[in-house]
Amino acid sequence: MTLERHAPALPGRAVIEQRWNRAVFVHWRVDPTDVAPMLPAGTHPDVHDGSAWVGLVPFVLSDFRFLPLPRVPFLGTFTEINVRTYAVDDAGRRGVVFRTLEAEHLAPVLAARALFGLPYRWARAGVRTDGQLIEFRSRRHGGRHPGTCLRARLGTDTVDTPLSRFLTARWGFHERHLGRTIWAANTHEPWPLVNAELETLDDELVADAGFPQLAGRAPDSVLAMPAAHPGLRTRFTAARAIAKAPSA
């Protein structure tokens, strides 16, 4: 089933708003059995063309605010890089499951961990652009921690396929938090996507997130936002519990 490009109506009041820009979506096919043990209770791997998918997704986040309050001061614009896969729950909600999220500001790291249990890591991260070229770098703080360097050349051909929608038209996330599986919905305009080509990928984050078999393997899909796009405003609802974690 092809996912819709447009988000459904939020099931409740939005509580967080932020802007996403300069996103690059790098994805690999994996066997669904490799993903299943990593998913929260009450969910199972979402598959396309018989495969589960693992993504490395860097982007720039800005204009963060807790609604209806104004933007949080001093956060400014910062880089985030996540490793993710995809799940569907028993009610048919299809969402993202984050394995790790790197962010260069400590405040949103702590807030996201407390509110949603998301596996954020504090990192030195940044982005550089030069026309159609974009480069992201990240390294976690402290010692010999994993990092990444991704450099891509953005194309101009618009992409809208069943696979691109599967990988990007995700209107919520599942997460384990306080002994439960939670779901938080989001809404934003459809992703504007173009083709992209990797020039460099020197990555340790995907292996650290539980997928060492992907180290050095060429990705199966590379997509990006157009170079001059102003970004998407996205809103999230509060999380709600949908399942209990199994007893140990």
Side-chain angles (χ1 to χ4, degrees):
M1 181 177 68
T2 300
L3 278 71
E4 292 292 333
R5 290 186 69 236
H6 295 269
L10 288 178
R13 182 175 64 89
V15 297
I16 290 176
E17 181 180 279
Q18 52 195 227
R19 182 174 293 276
W20 293 339
N21 198 6
R22 300 180 184 173
V24 178
F25 298 88
V26 180
H27 281 91
W28 295 262
R29 291 177 178 270
V30 296
D31 192 301
T33 60
D34 293 340
V35 168
M38 303 178 182
L39 301 182
T43 71
H44 56 272
D46 201 357
V47 301
H48 178 82
D49 194 24
S51 297
W53 292 76
V54 172
L56 177 68
V57 182
F59 64 98
V60 175
L61 189 149
S62 62
D63 298 342
F64 181 90
R65 65 186 184 124
F66 295 101
L67 297 170
L69 301 175
R71 287 181 295 173
V72 177
F74 311 118
L75 279 186
T77 299
F78 62 94
T79 300
E80 181 175 310
I81 303 173
N82 63 68
V83 178
R84 62 200 242 181
T85 188
Y86 305 103
V88 58
D89 64 30
D90 294 338
R93 290 173 292 238
R94 308 173 81 174
V96 175
V97 175
F98 295 104
R99 295 294 295 158
T100 63
L101 305 97
E102 320 293 307
E104 61 178 319
H105 279 320
L106 183 58
V109 168
L110 297 177
R113 283 184 177 180
L115 289 173
F116 300 119
L118 290 171
Y120 266 93
R121 304 290 187 267
W122 187 28
R124 296 183 299 274
V127 59
R128 294 191 303 174
T129 60
D130 181 8
Q132 297 297 108
L133 289 174
I134 188 166
E135 180 180 290
F136 289 91
R137 289 180 178 268
S138 178
R139 177 73 61 181
R140 287 184 201 161
H141 286 285
R144 294 176 57 85
H145 288 313
T148 194
C149 174
L150 181 156
R151 182 179 174 91
R153 182 174 295 276
L154 309 185
T156 57
D157 293 336
T158 300
V159 178
D160 180 19
T161 65
L163 177 59
S164 71
R165 293 191 188 186
F166 177 88
L167 298 174
T168 65
R170 293 282 159 174
W171 309 120
F173 67 83
H174 297 93
E175 184 55 72
R176 299 180 182 92
H177 188 42
L178 302 177
R180 306 169 300 168
T181 297
I182 61 171
W183 162 261
N186 70 64
T187 185
H188 56 76
E189 296 174 8
W191 284 105
L193 296 171
V194 295
N195 60 311
E197 180 181 353
L198 284 183
E199 293 198 347
T200 300
L201 181 59
D202 183 6
D203 176 71
E204 300 165 326
L205 298 178
V206 172
D208 182 73
F211 301 100
Q213 72 273 31
L214 300 181
R217 197 182 106 186
D220 297 288
S221 172
V222 185
L223 302 168
M225 295 181 73
H229 197 276
L232 299 177
R233 185 180 67 175
T234 196
R235 292 185 169 194
F236 287 86
T237 63
R240 63 188 186 93
I242 63 169
K244 290 184 179 180
S247 301

